Amino acid sequence: MGSIDEEVSLLEVEESLIQEELKLYAEDGSIDIYGNPPLKQKTGNWKACPFIFANECCERLAYYGIAKNLITYFTNELHETNVAAARHVMTWQGTCYITPLIGALIADAYWGRYWTIACFSAIYFTGMVALTLSASVPGLKPAECIGSLCPPATTVQSTVLFSGLYLIALGTGGIKPCVSSFGADQFDKTDPSERVRKASFFNWFYFTINVGAFVSSTVLVWVQENCGWELGFLIPTVFMGLATISFFVGTPLYRFQKPKGSPITRVCQVLVAAYRNLNLKFSEEYHTHLFETRDMNSSNIGDCKIEHTDGFLTKPQLYQKEKPNPIHGSSVP
Protein backbone atom coordinates (compact mmCIF):
# COMPACT_ATOMS: atom_id res chain seq x y z
CA MET A 1 0.00 0.00 0.00
CA GLY A 2 2.86 2.35 0.86
CA SER A 3 4.46 1.97 -2.57
CA ILE A 4 1.13 2.60 -4.32
CA ASP A 5 0.54 5.77 -2.27
CA GLU A 6 4.04 6.97 -3.04
CA GLU A 7 3.52 6.31 -6.74
CA VAL A 8 0.23 8.22 -6.71
CA SER A 9 1.82 11.16 -4.89
CA LEU A 10 4.71 11.19 -7.38
CA LEU A 11 2.24 11.26 -10.26
CA GLU A 12 0.37 14.17 -8.65
CA VAL A 13 3.63 16.08 -8.15
CA GLU A 14 4.66 15.39 -11.75
CA GLU A 15 1.27 16.55 -13.03
CA SER A 16 1.45 19.74 -10.97
CA LEU A 17 4.93 20.43 -12.32
CA ILE A 18 3.68 19.95 -15.88
CA GLN A 19 0.80 22.37 -15.24
CA GLU A 20 3.20 24.94 -13.81
CA GLU A 21 5.46 24.55 -16.83
CA LEU A 22 2.51 25.03 -19.19
CA LYS A 23 1.61 28.29 -17.43
CA LEU A 24 5.03 29.61 -18.38
CA TYR A 25 4.01 29.57 -22.05
CA ALA A 26 1.20 31.38 -23.89
CA GLU A 27 -1.74 29.07 -24.56
CA ASP A 28 -3.60 31.05 -27.22
CA GLY A 29 -2.02 29.31 -30.21
CA SER A 30 0.69 31.93 -30.76
CA ILE A 31 4.34 31.17 -31.54
CA ASP A 32 7.64 32.99 -31.12
CA ILE A 33 10.11 33.97 -33.83
CA TYR A 34 11.48 30.41 -33.87
CA GLY A 35 8.07 28.77 -34.28
CA ASN A 36 7.90 27.50 -30.69
CA PRO A 37 5.29 28.24 -28.00
CA PRO A 38 6.26 31.68 -26.65
CA LEU A 39 7.66 31.97 -23.15
CA LYS A 40 5.60 34.59 -21.32
CA GLN A 41 8.55 36.09 -19.44
CA LYS A 42 10.56 36.74 -22.62
CA THR A 43 7.95 37.56 -25.28
CA GLY A 44 4.84 39.64 -25.76
CA ASN A 45 3.08 41.62 -23.08
CA TRP A 46 4.28 45.17 -22.39
CA LYS A 47 7.84 44.31 -23.43
CA ALA A 48 6.81 44.20 -27.10
CA CYS A 49 4.39 47.13 -27.02
CA PRO A 50 6.81 50.11 -27.13
CA PHE A 51 7.98 49.06 -30.60
CA ILE A 52 4.39 48.77 -31.81
CA PHE A 53 3.45 52.12 -30.26
CA ALA A 54 6.46 53.80 -31.89
CA ASN A 55 5.58 52.29 -35.25
CA GLU A 56 1.99 53.47 -35.11
CA CYS A 57 2.80 56.94 -33.77
CA CYS A 58 5.42 57.59 -36.47
CA GLU A 59 3.23 56.16 -39.23
CA ARG A 60 0.28 58.35 -38.26
CA LEU A 61 2.57 61.37 -38.01
CA ALA A 62 3.79 60.64 -41.54
CA TYR A 63 0.29 60.12 -42.95
CA TYR A 64 -1.32 63.22 -41.45
CA GLY A 65 1.81 65.23 -42.17
CA ILE A 66 0.95 64.73 -45.83
CA ALA A 67 -2.85 64.61 -45.79
CA LYS A 68 -3.53 67.72 -43.69
CA ASN A 69 -1.90 70.16 -46.09
CA LEU A 70 -1.92 68.30 -49.39
CA ILE A 71 -4.50 70.55 -51.09
CA THR A 72 -2.30 73.56 -50.37
CA TYR A 73 0.65 71.75 -51.91
CA PHE A 74 -1.30 71.00 -55.09
CA THR A 75 -2.49 74.58 -55.48
CA ASN A 76 0.71 76.42 -54.50
CA GLU A 77 3.42 74.13 -55.87
CA LEU A 78 1.74 72.26 -58.72
CA HIS A 79 -0.43 75.21 -59.74
CA GLU A 80 -3.65 73.19 -59.69
CA THR A 81 -7.07 74.78 -59.30
CA ASN A 82 -8.91 74.27 -56.00
CA VAL A 83 -11.36 71.90 -57.68
CA ALA A 84 -8.63 69.76 -59.26
CA ALA A 85 -6.59 69.72 -56.05
CA ALA A 86 -9.59 68.68 -53.96
CA ARG A 87 -10.43 65.93 -56.46
CA HIS A 88 -6.90 64.53 -56.35
CA VAL A 89 -6.73 64.60 -52.55
CA MET A 90 -10.17 63.07 -52.03
CA THR A 91 -9.41 60.27 -54.48
CA TRP A 92 -6.12 59.57 -52.73
CA GLN A 93 -7.66 59.59 -49.26
CA GLY A 94 -10.48 57.33 -50.44
CA THR A 95 -7.88 54.89 -51.76
CA CYS A 96 -6.14 54.99 -48.37
CA TYR A 97 -9.37 53.77 -46.75
CA ILE A 98 -10.06 51.05 -49.34
CA THR A 99 -6.63 49.42 -49.40
CA PRO A 100 -6.94 48.14 -45.78
CA LEU A 101 -9.39 45.56 -47.17
CA ILE A 102 -6.54 44.19 -49.28
CA GLY A 103 -4.07 44.28 -46.39
CA ALA A 104 -6.46 42.52 -44.02
CA LEU A 105 -7.17 39.76 -46.55
CA ILE A 106 -3.46 39.15 -47.17
CA ALA A 107 -2.68 39.12 -43.44
CA ASP A 108 -5.49 36.73 -42.51
CA ALA A 109 -5.11 34.30 -45.38
CA TYR A 110 -1.47 34.29 -46.44
CA TRP A 111 1.29 36.29 -44.74
CA GLY A 112 0.16 36.87 -41.18
CA ARG A 113 0.12 40.26 -39.50
CA TYR A 114 3.85 40.62 -38.89
CA TRP A 115 5.00 40.10 -42.48
CA THR A 116 2.12 42.16 -43.84
CA ILE A 117 3.10 45.11 -41.66
CA ALA A 118 6.78 44.65 -42.49
CA CYS A 119 6.33 44.46 -46.27
CA PHE A 120 3.79 47.24 -46.53
CA SER A 121 5.90 49.48 -44.28
CA ALA A 122 8.70 49.17 -46.84
CA ILE A 123 6.24 50.11 -49.60
CA TYR A 124 5.02 53.05 -47.50
CA PHE A 125 8.57 54.29 -46.94
CA THR A 126 9.35 54.00 -50.65
CA GLY A 127 6.33 56.18 -51.41
CA MET A 128 7.46 58.74 -48.84
CA VAL A 129 10.90 58.92 -50.44
CA ALA A 130 9.35 59.39 -53.90
CA LEU A 131 7.08 62.16 -52.59
CA THR A 132 9.99 63.93 -50.87
CA LEU A 133 12.08 63.76 -54.04
CA SER A 134 9.21 65.20 -56.09
CA ALA A 135 9.15 68.22 -53.76
CA SER A 136 12.93 68.60 -53.49
CA VAL A 137 14.58 67.86 -56.85
CA PRO A 138 14.18 70.88 -59.19
CA GLY A 139 13.55 68.72 -62.25
CA LEU A 140 10.73 66.83 -60.49
CA LYS A 141 8.61 69.85 -59.58
CA PRO A 142 7.12 72.62 -61.73
CA ALA A 143 8.97 75.91 -62.10
CA GLU A 144 7.83 78.83 -60.00
CA CYS A 145 5.24 81.23 -61.35
CA ILE A 146 6.41 84.25 -63.34
CA GLY A 147 3.79 86.85 -62.68
CA SER A 148 0.47 85.27 -63.58
CA LEU A 149 2.10 82.58 -65.73
CA CYS A 150 2.28 79.31 -63.76
CA PRO A 151 3.63 76.33 -65.73
CA PRO A 152 1.77 73.06 -64.99
CA ALA A 153 3.48 69.86 -63.93
CA THR A 154 4.93 67.74 -66.72
CA THR A 155 4.04 64.10 -67.24
CA VAL A 156 7.22 62.92 -65.52
CA GLN A 157 6.70 65.24 -62.57
CA SER A 158 3.08 64.12 -62.11
CA THR A 159 4.09 60.46 -62.45
CA VAL A 160 6.68 60.69 -59.68
CA LEU A 161 4.32 62.60 -57.39
CA PHE A 162 1.30 60.32 -57.85
CA SER A 163 3.46 57.18 -57.73
CA GLY A 164 4.67 58.28 -54.31
CA LEU A 165 1.17 59.12 -53.09
CA TYR A 166 -0.38 55.84 -54.18
CA LEU A 167 2.52 53.79 -52.86
CA ILE A 168 1.73 55.47 -49.53
CA ALA A 169 -1.95 54.57 -49.97
CA LEU A 170 -0.99 50.96 -50.63
CA GLY A 171 1.39 50.92 -47.69
CA THR A 172 -1.14 52.26 -45.23
CA GLY A 173 -3.52 49.54 -46.43
CA GLY A 174 -1.22 46.88 -45.02
CA ILE A 175 -0.47 48.69 -41.78
CA LYS A 176 -3.80 50.16 -40.70
CA PRO A 177 -5.80 46.89 -40.32
CA CYS A 178 -2.96 44.88 -38.76
CA VAL A 179 -1.09 46.96 -36.18
CA SER A 180 -3.79 47.06 -33.50
CA SER A 181 -4.53 43.35 -33.95
CA PHE A 182 -0.84 42.51 -33.87
CA GLY A 183 -0.54 44.45 -30.63
CA ALA A 184 -3.46 42.48 -29.19
CA ASP A 185 -1.67 39.26 -30.18
CA GLN A 186 1.02 40.10 -27.62
CA PHE A 187 -1.40 39.31 -24.81
CA ASP A 188 -2.57 35.77 -24.03
CA LYS A 189 -6.36 35.87 -23.94
CA THR A 190 -6.43 32.64 -21.92
CA ASP A 191 -4.58 34.42 -19.09
CA PRO A 192 -6.93 36.63 -16.99
CA SER A 193 -4.17 39.06 -16.02
CA GLU A 194 -3.05 39.53 -19.62
CA ARG A 195 -6.64 40.10 -20.75
CA VAL A 196 -6.78 43.10 -18.42
CA ARG A 197 -3.52 44.43 -19.85
CA LYS A 198 -4.87 44.04 -23.38
CA ALA A 199 -7.68 46.50 -22.59
CA SER A 200 -5.09 48.96 -21.32
CA PHE A 201 -3.03 48.39 -24.46
CA PHE A 202 -5.80 49.77 -26.68
CA ASN A 203 -6.02 52.92 -24.54
CA TRP A 204 -2.32 53.60 -25.05
CA PHE A 205 -2.50 52.58 -28.70
CA TYR A 206 -5.11 55.19 -29.57
CA PHE A 207 -3.26 57.73 -27.44
CA THR A 208 -0.16 57.27 -29.64
CA ILE A 209 -2.32 57.71 -32.77
CA ASN A 210 -3.58 61.04 -31.46
CA VAL A 211 -0.07 62.16 -30.50
CA GLY A 212 1.16 61.53 -34.04
CA ALA A 213 -1.88 63.25 -35.56
CA PHE A 214 -1.55 66.24 -33.23
CA VAL A 215 2.14 66.81 -33.97
CA SER A 216 1.64 66.52 -37.72
CA SER A 217 -1.42 68.80 -37.71
CA THR A 218 0.41 71.55 -35.86
CA VAL A 219 4.20 71.39 -36.09
CA LEU A 220 4.51 69.84 -39.56
CA VAL A 221 1.91 72.13 -41.11
CA TRP A 222 3.81 75.12 -39.72
CA VAL A 223 7.10 73.75 -41.12
CA GLN A 224 5.56 73.25 -44.55
CA GLU A 225 4.14 76.75 -44.64
CA ASN A 226 7.18 78.56 -43.24
CA CYS A 227 10.26 76.42 -43.91
CA GLY A 228 9.42 74.85 -47.25
CA TRP A 229 7.86 71.69 -48.58
CA GLU A 230 11.20 69.93 -48.93
CA LEU A 231 11.70 69.91 -45.16
CA GLY A 232 7.97 69.50 -44.57
CA PHE A 233 7.98 66.18 -46.45
CA LEU A 234 11.45 65.10 -45.34
CA ILE A 235 10.49 65.07 -41.65
CA PRO A 236 7.57 62.60 -42.03
CA THR A 237 9.76 60.49 -44.33
CA VAL A 238 12.37 60.23 -41.60
CA PHE A 239 9.69 59.34 -39.06
CA MET A 240 8.33 56.63 -41.36
CA GLY A 241 11.82 55.19 -41.63
CA LEU A 242 12.05 55.23 -37.83
CA ALA A 243 8.66 53.50 -37.64
CA THR A 244 9.88 50.67 -39.88
CA ILE A 245 13.15 50.29 -37.97
CA SER A 246 11.32 50.31 -34.64
CA PHE A 247 9.01 47.56 -35.79
CA PHE A 248 11.87 45.29 -36.86
CA VAL A 249 13.90 45.92 -33.69
CA GLY A 250 11.13 44.40 -31.58
CA THR A 251 10.96 41.17 -33.61
CA PRO A 252 12.58 38.85 -30.98
CA LEU A 253 9.99 39.98 -28.42
CA TYR A 254 6.87 39.46 -30.52
CA ARG A 255 4.29 36.70 -30.39
CA PHE A 256 2.94 35.64 -33.77
CA GLN A 257 -0.40 34.18 -34.82
CA LYS A 258 -0.37 31.91 -37.86
CA PRO A 259 -2.68 32.82 -40.79
CA LYS A 260 -6.02 31.02 -40.36
CA GLY A 261 -7.59 31.61 -43.74
CA SER A 262 -9.67 34.39 -45.15
CA PRO A 263 -12.83 35.21 -43.14
CA ILE A 264 -14.41 36.43 -46.39
CA THR A 265 -14.16 32.91 -47.80
CA ARG A 266 -15.74 31.40 -44.69
CA VAL A 267 -18.58 33.94 -44.66
CA CYS A 268 -19.36 33.19 -48.31
CA GLN A 269 -19.34 29.45 -47.59
CA VAL A 270 -21.81 29.96 -44.74
CA LEU A 271 -24.17 32.03 -46.88
CA VAL A 272 -24.11 29.51 -49.74
CA ALA A 273 -24.71 26.58 -47.38
CA ALA A 274 -27.52 28.47 -45.63
CA TYR A 275 -29.23 29.05 -48.98
CA ARG A 276 -28.92 25.37 -49.93
CA ASN A 277 -30.45 24.30 -46.61
CA LEU A 278 -33.17 26.94 -46.74
CA ASN A 279 -35.98 24.37 -46.81
CA LEU A 280 -34.67 22.27 -43.91
CA LYS A 281 -36.63 22.64 -40.69
CA PHE A 282 -35.16 22.79 -37.22
CA SER A 283 -36.08 19.94 -34.92
CA GLU A 284 -34.67 18.06 -31.97
CA GLU A 285 -33.50 15.39 -34.42
CA TYR A 286 -31.54 17.95 -36.42
CA HIS A 287 -30.04 19.38 -33.26
CA THR A 288 -28.26 16.06 -32.74
CA HIS A 289 -26.96 16.09 -36.33
CA LEU A 290 -25.08 19.35 -36.71
CA PHE A 291 -21.79 20.00 -38.42
CA GLU A 292 -19.96 21.40 -35.38
CA THR A 293 -17.26 20.40 -32.95
CA ARG A 294 -18.46 18.54 -29.87
CA ASP A 295 -15.96 20.03 -27.41
CA MET A 296 -16.02 23.48 -25.88
CA ASN A 297 -13.18 24.88 -28.00
CA SER A 298 -12.98 26.03 -31.60
CA SER A 299 -11.27 23.86 -34.19
CA ASN A 300 -8.89 26.82 -34.73
CA ILE A 301 -6.38 26.85 -31.88
CA GLY A 302 -6.69 30.04 -29.86
CA ASP A 303 -10.10 31.02 -31.23
CA CYS A 304 -13.34 31.13 -29.27
CA LYS A 305 -16.30 28.98 -30.20
CA ILE A 306 -19.45 30.94 -31.03
CA GLU A 307 -22.47 30.02 -28.92
CA HIS A 308 -25.07 28.00 -30.82
CA THR A 309 -28.27 29.83 -31.82
CA ASP A 310 -31.18 28.85 -34.06
CA GLY A 311 -31.66 30.96 -37.16
CA PHE A 312 -30.86 31.38 -40.83
CA LEU A 313 -27.09 31.31 -40.30
CA THR A 314 -27.33 28.07 -38.34
CA LYS A 315 -28.81 26.22 -41.30
CA PRO A 316 -25.40 25.52 -42.87
CA GLN A 317 -24.82 23.18 -39.90
CA LEU A 318 -27.87 21.07 -40.69
CA TYR A 319 -27.69 17.94 -42.78
CA GLN A 320 -30.28 15.29 -43.54
CA LYS A 321 -29.90 11.78 -42.22
CA GLU A 322 -29.48 9.12 -44.85
CA LYS A 323 -32.68 7.32 -45.81
CA PRO A 324 -32.84 3.74 -47.18
CA ASN A 325 -33.44 3.44 -50.90
CA PRO A 326 -36.58 1.29 -51.28
CA ILE A 327 -35.47 0.04 -54.71
CA HIS A 328 -31.83 -0.93 -54.30
CA GLY A 329 -31.63 -1.14 -50.52
CA SER A 330 -28.80 1.35 -50.46
CA SER A 331 -28.63 4.62 -48.60
CA VAL A 332 -29.40 7.92 -50.24
CA PRO A 333 -29.30 11.40 -48.75
Side-chain angles (χ1 to χ4, degrees), residues 64-87:
Y64 287 112
I66 299 167
K68 289 292 183 181
N69 217 19
L70 192 55
I71 290 180
T72 304
Y73 179 73
F74 271 105
T75 55
N76 291 354
E77 300 298 317
L78 298 183
H79 314 140
E80 297 270 3
T81 63
N82 287 332
V83 174
R87 182 175 65 249

Side-chain angles (χ1 to χ4, degrees), residues 188-208:
D188 184 0
K189 59 188 175 184
T190 64
D191 187 330
S193 62
E194 291 200 12
R195 282 203 302 269
V196 174
R197 294 171 196 158
K198 181 188 291 190
S200 182
F201 162 80
F202 284 108
N203 293 333
W204 285 105
F205 179 80
Y206 287 104
F207 175 75
T208 59

Side-chain angles (χ1 to χ4, degrees), residues 20-97:
E20 290 179 4
E21 184 177 357
L22 288 175
K23 291 180 181 179
L24 298 176
Y25 295 90
E27 300 176 0
D28 59 350
S30 59
I31 57 176
D32 61 14
I33 187 62
Y34 304 106
N36 301 318
L39 190 63
K40 289 185 178 181
Q41 292 183 347
K42 294 185 177 181
T43 63
N45 224 310
W46 289 116
K47 293 183 292 297
C49 290
F51 304 99
I52 298 173
F53 291 149
N55 175 272
E56 182 63 14
C57 182
C58 293
E59 187 275 328
R60 289 291 87 187
L61 186 148
Y63 174 79
Y64 287 112
I66 299 167
K68 289 292 183 181
N69 217 19
L70 192 55
I71 290 180
T72 304
Y73 179 73
F74 271 105
T75 55
N76 291 354
E77 300 298 317
L78 298 183
H79 314 140
E80 297 270 3
T81 63
N82 287 332
V83 174
R87 182 175 65 249
H88 290 315
V89 173
M90 292 300 103
T91 302
W92 175 72
Q93 288 186 331
T95 305
C96 289
Y97 283 96

Side-chain angles (χ1 to χ4, degrees), residues 131-241:
L131 181 63
T132 303
L133 290 176
S134 72
S136 305
V137 178
L140 296 179
K141 60 180 180 179
E144 294 184 1
C145 294
I146 302 175
S148 61
L149 180 61
C150 297
T154 65
T155 302
V156 173
Q157 293 167 348
S158 297
T159 300
V160 174
L161 171 65
F162 285 105
S163 295
L165 285 175
Y166 282 94
L167 282 174
I168 293 170
L170 180 61
T172 194
I175 298 173
K176 188 188 295 289
C178 297
V179 174
S180 60
S181 299
F182 185 69
D185 290 342
Q186 308 311 309
F187 299 90
D188 184 0
K189 59 188 175 184
T190 64
D191 187 330
S193 62
E194 291 200 12
R195 282 203 302 269
V196 174
R197 294 171 196 158
K198 181 188 291 190
S200 182
F201 162 80
F202 284 108
N203 293 333
W204 285 105
F205 179 80
Y206 287 104
F207 175 75
T208 59
I209 290 177
N210 290 320
V211 168
F214 176 76
V215 172
S216 61
S217 302
T218 53
V219 177
L220 281 184
V221 169
W222 184 89
V223 170
Q224 291 166 355
E225 294 285 350
N226 296 276
C227 301
W229 292 96
E230 298 88 346
L231 183 61
F233 285 158
L234 178 62
I235 292 174
T237 300
V238 171
F239 272 96
M240 189 59 217

